[in-house]
């Protein structure tokens, strides 16, 4: 292919033919809108093994090829094989369903190509506005800081750095210990390893019957560790547990943390958005404002396109101290492009950063916090609906009454062993994924393998819930009739 050149014949990466480029881009935009408008026709589908092989074999392109050819390849080989979380009956893990307005934000973001680590341009002001809105909604104090990151995992790790530095600043040389309930997300132990404390230092506190952290057990563990010479430094309270949706008693945990001078981190990945929902779901968020740090995602319940999470920090100065390092090539100026008071590189590891804030800002403007709250309430009602339908089904046993948006249940058959049920439930999940009816994931609740729906899907209707339960019934019956387990 002829390489693109500018008017002087020098190489460039811009298209030679802008009119052609424009036509192609418009076509792709239409294709993308079609996909979202008809989201129900695009469930997950497996990537053909022939296609996987082709991707593993292709050699590096040393020369370029026409854009139109690449687009054709995207249409056949890439676009059809998404995670499927834009589908209205996608309930697996905790995946946001995406927003059409994020499609527009992605275009603008690409056109601006801002680097949001620092300097004086509009992006940091947009990001700060998003953070300020969240600070207000979640009732953090004025001096609080924040940062948009890839997700709750990254936010958790950064929070831990600040907590560790604060604790070590006291000059203590005792081993640090951290605390979280049995059901805590794996991001906590991974972060402990990254910040050099080690996941072995995590005390997994037993839970009550409702899967919330047992406060007496937490206190006992803290006191034990103190008397053994350790320094408790980090308690994770969960607001919306990944397995069950359970929310810890944030106020009780905050009191305990205050009494022992321990950092309180709240994992509110999806659950924090109950703060915007109706009663009774908003009760889960009572006490969220007491956190030293709060991690949550925009890409889950608010459905902002992947990826974007947020870290809010009560003490903005402490946050900044943990990450500011400005060598000569990053010096700021009083004015000019090197100006700007707020450089987000001072609040985390990333120096070069994209304009994640735009899609979030746009989503919040378009739908409002109330709009997100309505989806939270709807999805929590739908979890109740699913639970009620499951309770009426023969051959399914509900694991617990949903408190938020997560509904877990086990498909059973007579005479089955635990191992057989483990495999049976996995097979049901897989069969429903493969036939495009609905996506459930699996987990273990109270030692039993179960199917799990985590509903954070604004596209989901009550009809989708009913159809999914019918699909479960059909697949269970079919598997029982078709063979041994
Ligand atoms: C999803 C989730 C996480 C991890 O968040 P990412 O955005 O995937 O990094 C942590 N905690 C809970 C409760 C979650 O649901």
């Amino acid at each position: 292919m002829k390489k693109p050149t500018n008017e002087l014949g020098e190489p460039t990466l811009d298209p030679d033919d802008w009119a052609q480029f424009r036509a192609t881009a418009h076509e792709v935009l239409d294709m993308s809108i079609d996909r979202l408008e008809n989201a129900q026709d695009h469930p997950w589908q497996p990537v053909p093994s022939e296609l996987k092989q082709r991707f593993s074999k292709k050699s590096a392109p040393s020369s370029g090829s026409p854009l139109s050819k690449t687009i054709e390849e995207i249409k056949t080989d890439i676009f059809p094989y998404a995670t499927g979380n834009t589908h209205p009956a996608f309930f697996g893990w905790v995946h946001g369903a995406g927003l059409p307005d994020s499609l527009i934000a992605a275009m603008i973001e690409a056109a601006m190509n801002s680097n949001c680590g620092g300097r004086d341009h509009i992006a940091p002001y947009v990001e700060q506005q998003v953070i300020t809105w969240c600070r207000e909604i979640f009732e953090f104090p004025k001096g609080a800081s924040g940062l948009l990151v890839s997700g709750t995992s990254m936010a958790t790790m950064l929070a831990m750095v600040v907590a560790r530095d604060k604790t070590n600043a006291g000059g203590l040389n005792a081993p640090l210990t951290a605390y979280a309930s049995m059901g805590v997300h794996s991001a906590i132990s991974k972060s402990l390893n990254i910040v050099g404390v080690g996941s072995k230092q995590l005390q997994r506190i037993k839970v009550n019957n409702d899967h919330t952290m047992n406060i007496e057990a937490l206190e006992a563990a803290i006191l034990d560790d103190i008397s053994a010479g350790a320094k408790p430094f980090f308690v994770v309270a969960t607001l919306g547990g990944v397995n069950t949706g359970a929310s810890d008693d944030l106020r009780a945990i905050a009191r305990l943390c205050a009494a022992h001078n321990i950092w309180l981190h709240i994992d509110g990945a999806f659950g924090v958005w109950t703060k915007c929902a109706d009663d009774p779901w908003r009760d889960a968020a009572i006490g969220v404002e007491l956190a030293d740090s709060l991690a949550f995602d925009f890409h889950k319940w608010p459905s902002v396109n992947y990826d974007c999470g947020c870290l809010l920090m009560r003490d903005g100065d402490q946050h900044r101290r943990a990450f500011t390092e400005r060598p000569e090539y990053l010096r700021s100026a009083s004015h000019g492009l090197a100006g700007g008071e707020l450089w987000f590189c001072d609040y985390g590891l990333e120096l070069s950063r994209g304009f994640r804030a735009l899609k979030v800002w746009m989503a919040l403007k378009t739908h409002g916090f109330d709009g997100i709250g309505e989806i939270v309430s709807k999805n929590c009602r739908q979890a109740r609906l699913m639970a009620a339908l499951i309770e009426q089904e023969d051959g399914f046993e509900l694991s617990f009454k949903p408190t938020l948006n997560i509904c877990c249940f086990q498909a059973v058959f007579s005479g089955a062993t635990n191992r057989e049920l483990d495999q049976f439930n996995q097979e049901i999940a897989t069969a429903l994924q493969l036939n495009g009816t609905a996506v459930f994931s699996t987990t273990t609740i109270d030692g039993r393998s179960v199917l799990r729906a985590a509903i954070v899907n604004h596209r989901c209707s009550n009809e989708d819930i009913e159809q999914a339960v019918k699909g479960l019934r059909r697949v269970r019956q079919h598997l029982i009739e078709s063979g041994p387990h």
Side-chain angles (χ1 to χ4, degrees), residues 161-438:
V161 169
V162 182
R164 180 202 60 192
D165 287 1
K166 183 191 173 205
T167 310
N168 285 342
L172 280 168
N173 226 348
L176 303 182
T177 48
Y179 308 82
S181 77
M182 295 297 292
V184 76
H185 194 274
S186 57
I188 309 301
S189 53
K190 285 170 79 169
S191 295
L192 281 166
N193 284 332
I194 293 169
V195 305
V197 172
S199 57
K200 281 210 220 68
Q201 300 301 98
L202 176 63
Q203 301 275 21
R204 291 173 187 271
I205 307 299
K206 74 172 184 188
V207 293
N208 304 312
N209 288 337
D210 63 0
H211 300 98
T212 60
M213 180 147 56
N214 183 291
I215 307 290
E216 290 76 36
L218 171 63
E219 179 157 35
I222 290 171
L223 292 174
D224 274 0
D225 286 343
I226 291 174
S227 57
K231 173 64 190 151
F233 92 110
F234 202 77
V235 173
V236 181
T238 299
L239 167 45
V242 66
N243 243 0
T244 62
S247 299
D248 293 336
D249 183 340
L250 305 181
R251 284 192 294 194
I253 296 174
R255 270 196 298 275
L256 209 52
C257 286
H260 296 284
N261 193 23
I262 309 174
W263 188 279
L264 172 60
H265 175 77
I266 295 182
D267 178 349
F270 62 93
V272 78
W273 299 102
T274 55
K275 181 91 176 153
C276 309
D278 298 338
D279 288 333
W281 298 290
R282 63 181 306 145
D283 289 352
I286 291 175
V288 68
E289 70 284 356
L290 302 171
D292 291 300
S293 54
L294 170 66
F296 58 95
D297 282 319
F298 291 106
H299 55 220
K300 285 178 177 169
W301 240 328
S303 308
V304 172
N305 276 24
Y306 282 91
D307 50 22
C308 195
C310 186
L311 172 64
L312 277 189
M313 280 277 182
R314 165 170 304 280
D315 184 341
D317 293 334
Q318 211 155 48
H319 184 186
R320 197 162 188 277
R321 272 201 300 280
F323 293 106
T324 304
E325 188 171 331
R326 293 279 199 98
E328 60 286 357
Y329 47 83
L330 289 177
R331 247 198 341 243
S332 47
S334 60
H335 56 286
L337 179 53
E341 278 172 20
L342 188 60
W343 286 37
F344 279 104
C345 63
D346 293 337
Y347 293 86
L349 175 66
E350 291 168 333
L351 174 57
S352 292
R353 322 168 54 238
F355 195 2
R356 280 195 185 105
L358 183 67
K359 60 191 174 187
V360 178
W361 183 86
M362 205 171 149
L364 293 174
K365 298 265 286 184
T366 306
H367 310 288
F369 285 90
D370 288 350
I372 296 168
E374 275 178 32
I375 300 302
V376 172
S377 302
K378 173 179 98 161
N379 287 160
C380 291
R381 279 190 201 99
Q382 287 173 328
R384 280 188 182 172
L385 170 64
M386 186 182 282
L389 294 173
I390 289 292
E391 281 192 303
Q392 289 163 21
E393 288 290 324
D394 290 332
F396 289 90
E397 290 174 7
L398 190 67
S399 306
F400 52 86
K401 288 220 180 299
T403 46
L404 287 184
N405 59 324
I406 298 187
C407 180
C408 293
F409 49 88
Q410 189 179 44
V412 295
F413 60 92
S414 58
T417 64
N418 265 344
R419 264 188 74 160
E420 284 168 331
L421 288 180
D422 185 14
Q423 179 164 1
F424 188 54
N425 280 269
Q426 186 56 55
E427 278 177 29
I428 290 178
T430 306
L432 283 170
Q433 291 160 11
L434 284 168
N435 72 22
T437 307

Side-chain angles (χ1 to χ4, degrees), residues 124-200:
Y125 298 90
V126 176
E127 180 160 350
Q128 184 54 41
Q129 187 164 62
V130 166
I131 290 163
T132 304
W133 288 341
C134 291
R135 194 191 79 203
E136 285 168 7
I137 294 290
F138 301 134
E139 298 179 55
F140 269 52
K142 268 224 156 61
S145 57
L147 184 74
L148 298 190
V149 291
S150 59
T152 291
S153 302
M154 178 60 80
T156 303
M157 193 271 283
L158 296 178
M160 227 177 252
V161 169
V162 182
R164 180 202 60 192
D165 287 1
K166 183 191 173 205
T167 310
N168 285 342
L172 280 168
N173 226 348
L176 303 182
T177 48
Y179 308 82
S181 77
M182 295 297 292
V184 76
H185 194 274
S186 57
I188 309 301
S189 53
K190 285 170 79 169
S191 295
L192 281 166
N193 284 332
I194 293 169
V195 305
V197 172
S199 57
K200 281 210 220 68

Side-chain angles (χ1 to χ4, degrees), residues 456-475:
V456 289
N457 190 333
H458 68 91
R459 222 163 260 135
C460 175
S461 69
N462 289 356
E463 170 85 22
D464 292 314
I465 302 283
E466 284 159 23
Q467 289 304 325
V469 173
K470 280 186 190 149
L472 285 163
R473 181 199 306 155
R474 271 198 308 275
V475 166

